[in-house]
């Protein structure tokens, strides 16, 4: 079992004010964690995504939270969990090529450093290669702050619901390249 730890300062603008510092512990996901991951995913979409998603999106996330599909979704991926005070605070899943499939934070711990710690684990795990993801409207600001650029705005159909997302990449400085602009979106 691998382990990594870190400290996060409280950040204004989240849920109720937490203590000044919370210990964020990272660990590799185990099979018994899947129900908690599915529940966190559903909570994140329903709470954090509420300003961006409609009722159809929320229904889709409830369908996606069914446990039967999570083993298949996570197969072949590196899955790390973040915990605060022994409680699941977030998770990430990524492949060997540096593609981030999932990066979700518990709503009660949003904007308190959890996603940053998980992202740093992805970066440590894949090294200096280029990273990529398809970010939701909720995740877009986080990835932009981390230096990702939008490659393409996409619309995908999931369970009969049209979703807006953004193909993004982050190149190490030595591999920096030109990125085509996407109308109406911040570029770096």
């Amino acid at each position: 079992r691998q382990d990594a730890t870190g400290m996060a300062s409280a950040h204004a603008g989240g849920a109720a004010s937490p203590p000044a510092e919370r210990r964020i512990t990272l660990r590799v996901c185990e099979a018994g964690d899947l129900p908690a991951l599915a529940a966190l995913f559903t909570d994140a979409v329903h709470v954090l995504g509420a300003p961006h998603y409609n009722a159809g999106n929320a229904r889709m996330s409830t369908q996606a939270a069914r446990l039967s599909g999570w083993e298949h979704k996570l197969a072949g991926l590196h899955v790390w969990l973040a915990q605060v005070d022994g409680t699941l605070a977030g998770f990430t899943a990524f492949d060997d090529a540096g593609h981030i499939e999932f990066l979700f934070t518990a709503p009660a711990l949003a904007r308190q450093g959890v996603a940053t710690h998980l992202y740093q684990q992805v970066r440590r795990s894949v090294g200096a290669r280029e990273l990529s993801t398809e970010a939701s409207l909720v995740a877009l600001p986080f990835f932009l702050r981390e230096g990702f650029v939008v490659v393409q705005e996409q619309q995908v159909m999931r369970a009969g619901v049209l979703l807006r997302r953004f193909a993004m990449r982050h190149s190490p400085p030595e591999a920096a390249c030109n990125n085509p602009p996407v109308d109406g979106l911040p570029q770096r």
Side-chain angles (χ1 to χ4, degrees), residues 29-35 37-38 64-77 79 93 102:
C29 180
E30 299 172 352
D33 296 319
L34 293 182
L37 290 186
R66 292 189 180 125
L67 293 180
S68 59
W70 279 94
E71 284 185 36
H72 176 70
K73 288 177 188 180
L74 299 176
L77 299 176
V79 184
F102 297 100

Side-chain angles (χ1 to χ4, degrees), residues 79-146:
V79 184
W80 284 79
L81 308 181
Q83 294 180 306
V84 173
D85 301 329
T87 300
L88 181 62
F91 73 97
T92 190
F94 55 95
D95 65 21
D96 288 333
H99 184 78
I100 302 169
E101 288 289 335
F102 297 100
L103 180 58
F104 284 89
T105 302
L109 296 167
R111 296 175 215 33
Q112 295 182 35
V114 174
T116 300
H117 277 76
L118 288 165
Y119 171 71
Q120 290 169 348
Q121 181 58 49
V122 172
R123 179 51 75 197
R124 282 190 297 272
S125 297
V126 301
R129 73 174 52 111
E130 180 174 277
L131 298 178
S132 63
T133 194
E134 286 84 27
S136 68
L137 286 166
V138 175
L140 180 64
F142 171 81
F143 284 108
L144 288 171
R145 277 192 307 274
E146 292 298 331

Side-chain angles (χ1 to χ4, degrees), residues 46-58:
H46 283 258
V47 177
L48 299 175
H52 303 285
Y53 297 129
N54 62 34
N57 298 106

Side-chain angles (χ1 to χ4, degrees), residues 19-38:
E21 288 188 350
R22 291 189 155 193
R23 183 175 173 85
I24 298 174
T25 304
L26 303 179
R27 69 172 177 85
V28 173
C29 180
E30 299 172 352
D33 296 319
L34 293 182
L37 290 186

